[in-house]
Amino acid sequence: MREFLLGLRLLFGSGRGSRARFVLMTLGGSLGVCCLALVLTIPAILDAHDGRSADREPQVFVGKMAGEPTLVLQRSDPFGSKPFNRVFLARGTDATPQPPPGLSELPGPGEVYVSPALRDQLRREPALKGLLPGREKGLIEPTGLTDPNELYAYIGMSRNQLGDDARALKSFGSEHPPTTAVESSTLDILRFTLAALVLLPLAVFLSVCAKLSAASRNRRLAALRLLGLSAKGTQRVNAAETVVAALLGAVLGLAEFWVLNQIMARTGLPGLKWYPDDGALSAATLAVCLLGCPALAWFVGRASARAAAANPLGARRTAAPRAPRYWGVLLLVTGLGIVAGYCATGFTDHPAQSTGMNSLLVPAGVLLTGLGLVTAMPLLSYALARRLARSGNLTLNLAMRRNEIEPGSAMRVVTGLVLLVFSASLAQGVLVEERQITHNDSPSQEYSLALSQLTADQQRRLREVPGVRTHAVVMEPLTDPGSDSGSGAQATALVATCAQFAKLVRHAEGCVDGKVLRLSDPDVSDQPLATSVYGMRTSGRRTSYKVEVPRTTVVFDGYDVTDVPSPGLLVPPSALPAHATPDSARLVLAGASDPASVRAVLDRIGAIVPTADVDPAGINIDGLQQITVIETLLALGMVMGLVIGVAAFLVSVTDRAVERRPQVTALSLLGTRRRTLRLVQCTQVVLPLAIGLVLALAAGKAAESAYLITGGGQVFWDGEGVPLLVAATVGVLVLAAVGTLPLIGRRIDPELIRRD
């Protein structure tokens, strides 16, 4: 306790510089704790989402029930790129189950309870009322909704209106939600990725804050040691300052998180919105922030004072430290060895899968590689400095001699940005794998809508939707054509021109405009076709349209998931009866298959025809929603990692410049030009940073490939992400160079040398 109080007295009695350092440590710690609390709260937000979804899930009786139980029928439809859920209920005469969360009672016939987001949507799209038969009785409370943006409704109906699909309702509530915001396996991967994106840079950042003004503090601690203070007491004196700064920073960081949670919960993020209570700080989060961060500061403070306590004369006389050890490089080599081994399996016929020991070795290899990048930086900086310091260039000589004497300072300056580039590659791998799981691999995405639900104006507007490159109509034949059918099967017809048809398939041969043609995909089993009859409607009068099976065949290579029939018929629009519309037909739209285009097209379709049933071929709307959440969380992690990395860089560079003021002043008095000093300062930072970033880029792409290979997808080598990472690397180098230039002042203060 005596050493602790002595540390506090030294803190507040050592001048304005020490107090400024303490404030900087506190503010830096608060930023780190705020990011840490956000990362720890994300799983709680997702769990709250899934918990409310499970609490309202209807449980039904198996088989038929005697009497008149309450009936339930669920419907989930895509509204744009979001799911629209409706629960139809019909009260029975038997014991009525308790109402679901968010309702005080079950709706009666003709009564509708809607979510607040759905009420707002109804005001913008009155046509949606056709899906909600009845009058609005009230709103669903937050306890019955997964998030404030959810489109959800409970609709009361009579028993004969529900039909045969309705089931007898037992109760509401299930142990497992019907759909999760993020699947459990993906959530584990997401946690690991966020840890790499945020927690590793955060640990480096907190260590940087704890080691501010290391040289001057070491000299002060060495003086205490020479005055008779024990080695352990000297370490405790240094730890007192870091612990108090970390504790105050933790309290301030939690307050910053509370404000941030209130703002973000109300504004929301793309695809992710939550209630403020979902992001409330849990006891575990409070314990980690209020106890874990000061504990980390305690150990860092003691470790940073170990050299001054063990060799006080060396600290007072600024003895050159020993060269870095090789164990840090061993971590990097071990991690890269594991990662490279799994990358090598990608060139074989049997790539590794994420089963058994592989599910542990791949994350271990990625983690060792990330830690190795941190621990190897001092040795890499030292080796580079020793080689370049012997050059005849004055700038390189001055810059590299300082890095040779203080190789550990390079780690504090550049590690945060190096880890950011490494983690960005891993985040890209997670997104690539999730897109493979939730989307089809073809470059084309189709959307089909029942033609009977569309007016002529709506059809025209749908064909003109941005992102839709072509359109066609698929006609179904009559199910009972009579004697006209002959032998063989009725054929589904695609009404399109050759140009439209070419955009619906990969490749086609033999198409002739203006003629009815037979469609055949060699990858789909063929069968004989008969004369097909299609129901048509002309001016309100029902007619039929007969098509003979032609001899000319169009051979095409279709996509895996498509509405193009095979075998089928290709009917030119000019061959249809004038002013006739098919009875049973669907309008097919086709566009790009990337997630952004799919979401944009679905949203525009929902704005034009909100009540129509849209079938996005091969797309799971819940999966599309999930990939949006994952992209949002990874983007949030990237932003936090960027903030932490940049903050660590700025704090380290500023502290390094302040520490070097006596040396810079001495060089200025010896006649060194200010431009040379700025180049020295820039070179000291940029060269180690460039080595670290190139190594992080290569190691990150290797870790990403190992993850993709064991994930079992079709993409092993993500070349599309390389230009973005290279651009980010160059941008980081430019910012680092610009950030170091103003740190050499114009005024020379000889007093700094006298004090030194």
Side-chain angles (χ1 to χ4, degrees), residues 533-710:
V533 180
Y534 304 92
M536 308 293 288
R537 191 176 295 273
T538 306
S539 301
R541 194 165 47 85
R542 301 194 63 172
T543 60
S544 62
Y545 173 57
K546 184 189 299 184
V547 180
E548 301 287 343
V549 179
R551 294 183 178 180
T552 308
T553 301
V554 177
V555 179
F556 69 94
D557 181 15
Y559 296 111
D560 295 335
V561 182
T562 180
D563 288 300
V564 177
S566 178
L569 300 177
L570 179 61
V571 178
S574 58
L576 294 180
H579 308 294
T581 57
D583 275 343
S584 178
R586 299 186 69 83
L587 175 65
V588 176
L589 310 173
S593 63
D594 60 283
S597 298
V598 171
R599 281 194 293 268
V601 171
L602 281 173
D603 287 337
R604 291 187 178 103
I605 291 175
I608 296 172
V609 281
T611 59
D613 181 17
V614 184
D615 179 18
I619 284 187
N620 181 358
I621 293 297
D622 293 327
L624 188 64
Q625 191 78 356
Q626 177 172 298
I627 193 66
T628 305
V629 173
I630 294 172
E631 287 177 344
T632 297
L633 294 179
L634 289 179
L636 183 62
M638 288 292 295
V639 170
M640 288 190 290
L642 178 62
V643 169
I644 293 171
V646 171
F649 171 77
L650 294 177
V651 168
S652 300
V653 169
T654 304
D655 178 66
R656 202 162 180 252
V658 172
E659 282 282 282
R660 289 199 58 224
R661 284 186 302 174
Q663 291 83 11
V664 171
T665 301
L667 291 172
S668 299
L669 292 176
L670 289 174
T672 307
R673 292 181 298 178
R674 186 177 296 108
R675 185 180 65 179
T676 301
L677 292 176
R678 286 179 174 172
L679 287 176
V680 168
Q681 184 78 7
C682 181
T683 304
Q684 286 176 345
V685 173
V686 170
L687 278 183
L689 180 60
I691 297 296
L693 289 177
V694 171
L695 187 58
L697 185 61
K701 294 307 294 182
E704 178 192 3
S705 297
Y707 172 77
L708 291 175
I709 289 169
T710 54

Side-chain angles (χ1 to χ4, degrees), residues 20-85:
R21 182 184 68 244
F22 178 79
V23 172
L24 189 60
M25 292 169 62
T26 302
L27 294 178
S30 71
L31 175 63
V33 168
C34 181
C35 293
L36 176 61
L38 185 57
V39 172
L40 296 177
T41 307
I42 286 174
I45 292 174
L46 299 178
D47 289 342
H49 174 284
D50 296 341
R52 286 194 293 270
S53 178
D55 291 341
R56 72 187 183 192
E57 179 66 11
Q59 300 298 301
V60 298
F61 290 100
V62 179
K64 293 186 177 181
M65 296 292 297
E68 291 188 354
T70 299
L71 301 180
V72 63
L73 177 65
Q74 290 179 281
R75 287 287 182 263
S76 181
D77 305 298
F79 180 79
S81 59
K82 297 189 295 184
F84 176 24
N85 298 297

